[in-house]
Amino acid sequence: MSPFCFPVPGLCFLLSEVMAQMTKATCPQCPQHAFCVNGTYCTCDSGYASDSGKKFFTFPLETCNDIDECKPPISVYCGLNAACQNVEGSFHCHCNPGYKLLSGDTQFKNSNENTCQKTTSSKTTRDTEELQRVVEKFESLLTNDTPWAMGEKREVASRATTLLQTVESSALETALKSPEQKIQKIHNSTVAIETLVVTDNCSEEGKVFSLNTYMNSVDIRCDDIVQENVKGPTAIAFISYSSLGNIINATFFEEANGKDRVYLNSQVVSAAIGPERNTSLPKSVILTFQHVKMKPSSEKAICVYWKSMNEGGQWSSDGCFLIQANKSHTICNSTHLSSFAVLVALTNQEEDPVLVVITYVGLGLSLLCLLLAALTFLLCKAIQNTSTSLHLQLSICLFLAHLLFLTAIDQTKIKVPTLPQRTPCPEPRDAQFVDEFNTPVGLLQINLAFFLMTFWIVKNKLSSLNRDVSTLQNTRMLTFKATAQLLILGCTWCLGVLQVGPAARVMAYLFTIINSLQGVFIFLVYCLLSQQVRKWFREIMKSKPESETYTLSTRFGANSRPRGGVFPEQLKRKY
């Protein structure tokens, strides 16, 4: 028998029966792009992942979705002069425009198979050179520091707006000159451009194109690229600027709260479609940014776009929504095309003065009560047993924890949970914030199960014994103490999880009040409600006046007569 089954053999027998029944079950109906394993559960095909993230599943409504190996966190590397292309259930690499494999094939699997060589076609070379001139033109404008350094903020914004629009228009114009070159890519140290030309009017329904530059990407539907009022091919250009964010930085974000510290944590990217530059879209595009530096969990990501204005331009969050953010990447969606970036803000959380007062007063009372409780458990001989020893250790631990919290409360860094603004699939709160409360809540559920099982066993034992009044009273008092301890020391963690939505403020007050008064609860339940402890307190209170009487009576002799004619016997009776 397994060592885990030794304490509860009946439970293990039941589990073994359930497992035996499961092995006899027939294979469940697996969804599309999945197959059955061992006749008991399903798993997704290679190149697909379950919607729940589980490798094996039996849920009949589970779905298997295509894995985009070309996007983070996988991001297949195809080698120099090549790019990754995702396909349904798989992926492949292909040479950039102007390059081809030595074997003559059009695709390969990884960088080890990369033999992309520059072609000698004058047409392809001319197209690449024209796109290269666009990049060089931008680089010359950007490296000229004088206009950026000497100009005022409004002038810098105006120049940046003109620069962004010029590069977008030039890239689209170059792509539409050679529609047979469906994909064109070029990059250097300051800018990377990828263009895509659509000529088949989106023959595949719901087709989505993905363009990647500098580890940033955009996903856009084919229907959004094709323009109904334009005859002929249409194109989309996706551009990443490696250093433009140093010029149009977070100081151009006018919506920032004065108390928040905001900085730009991504490259500036642009997405545009042509020949007619259309900015509004019927459906949103998905943008994925790689962070310039790792984002701490305490900081909040903000998706923004460059809003052109008469004064020049500024960063704005209108129409941009956060989907998901982790330490290395942020995913946004937008209902229009423009230039985009990710700002990060460290929000200063304002303290509630009432909660501060409750915290200090409650912890002060708890420290006093925990000290009295510890002295009672240590000095009262009538109640000393194994249970009292455990309560003494609990009181000491809580005393030290409350004292540490009270003295170091101002030394901790405020951590603000990040709530997504709009999200179809991510976690509703920051993972670290959730784990801080879910761990004790999970342990609480396990202890609650053991508590209920123990209570049920004790109840059955008492019903089979000859019970007297004292046994019933002791059992009721024990049950009351155990239930109260479970609620006060355990269930209050649930109030921390419930601090969301309109009831967050009420839950915060309940959480603070109940948890700050844990010491008062322990002293009340385990000391003041104990008859033996109350009797011990009364004996201590009586012993003081009796000792004073004894001192006064022995101060005079048996036959001595004090001043005023009062004898010692009279003095003793008086006191």
Side-chain angles (χ1 to χ4, degrees), residues 64-259:
C64 291
N65 305 316
D66 173 56
I67 299 175
D68 192 345
E69 295 86 355
C70 299
K71 296 180 65 175
I74 301 176
S75 300
V76 173
Y77 177 64
C78 294
L80 297 175
N81 305 316
C84 177
Q85 179 65 45
N86 182 64
V87 294
E88 187 71 17
S90 184
F91 70 96
H92 65 258
C93 297
H94 61 82
C95 296
N96 289 339
Y99 296 84
K100 68 177 182 179
L101 294 171
L102 293 177
S103 62
D105 294 335
T106 58
Q107 61 188 41
F108 54 97
K109 267 298 182 184
N110 53 59
S111 59
N112 295 331
E113 302 175 4
N114 185 342
T115 59
C116 296
Q117 299 292 327
K118 194 171 184 178
T119 61
T120 58
S121 171
S122 59
K123 180 71 169 63
T124 305
T125 302
R126 186 169 63 252
D127 296 337
T128 306
E129 290 177 351
E130 192 165 350
L131 194 59
Q132 178 68 36
R133 283 194 293 271
V134 175
V135 173
E136 292 174 353
K137 180 181 179 181
F138 165 78
E139 192 171 16
S140 64
L141 293 173
L142 191 63
T143 53
N144 186 4
D145 295 334
T146 304
W148 306 106
M150 300 301 293
E152 296 181 356
K153 185 175 180 180
R154 185 175 61 181
E155 295 177 356
V156 171
S158 179
R159 291 193 184 99
T161 302
T162 303
L163 179 64
L164 291 169
Q165 294 177 356
T166 301
V167 175
E168 292 173 10
S169 301
S170 300
L172 290 172
E173 182 180 354
T174 301
L176 292 172
K177 283 182 180 179
S178 304
E180 67 277 2
Q181 296 292 328
K182 185 176 181 180
I183 299 176
Q184 296 188 47
K185 278 190 174 185
I186 195 167
H187 64 87
N188 61 10
S189 60
T190 58
V191 63
I193 301 176
E194 180 176 358
T195 60
L196 172 68
V197 179
V198 179
T199 57
D200 58 358
N201 292 326
C202 301
S203 56
E204 297 183 23
E205 184 178 357
K207 187 175 183 180
V208 177
F209 292 110
S210 180
L211 285 76
N212 302 268
T213 53
Y214 284 156
M215 299 301 291
N216 305 307
S217 66
V218 61
D219 294 338
I220 185 170
R221 294 168 57 90
C222 182
D223 296 336
D224 294 334
I225 301 176
V226 175
Q227 300 172 346
E228 297 180 356
N229 57 341
V230 175
K231 294 182 180 180
T234 55
I236 177 173
F238 185 60
I239 309 161
S240 291
Y241 306 92
S242 62
S243 56
L244 185 60
N246 297 329
I247 299 174
I248 49 174
N249 50 34
T251 60
F252 290 86
F253 185 51
E254 303 296 335
E255 301 174 22
N257 190 329
K259 298 181 180 180

Side-chain angles (χ1 to χ4, degrees), residues 346-367:
L346 177 59
T347 305
N348 294 323
Q349 188 179 22
E350 295 184 0
E351 292 184 349
D352 188 337
V354 179
L355 283 178
V356 174
V357 173
I358 293 175
T359 301
Y360 279 99
V361 173
L363 290 179
L365 289 175
S366 286
L367 287 174

Side-chain angles (χ1 to χ4, degrees), residues 26-47:
T26 59
C27 183
Q29 184 67 31
C30 297
Q32 187 181 10
H33 307 305
F35 61 94
C36 183
V37 179
N38 295 335
T40 56
Y41 46 80
C42 299
T43 187
C44 293
D45 296 336
S46 177

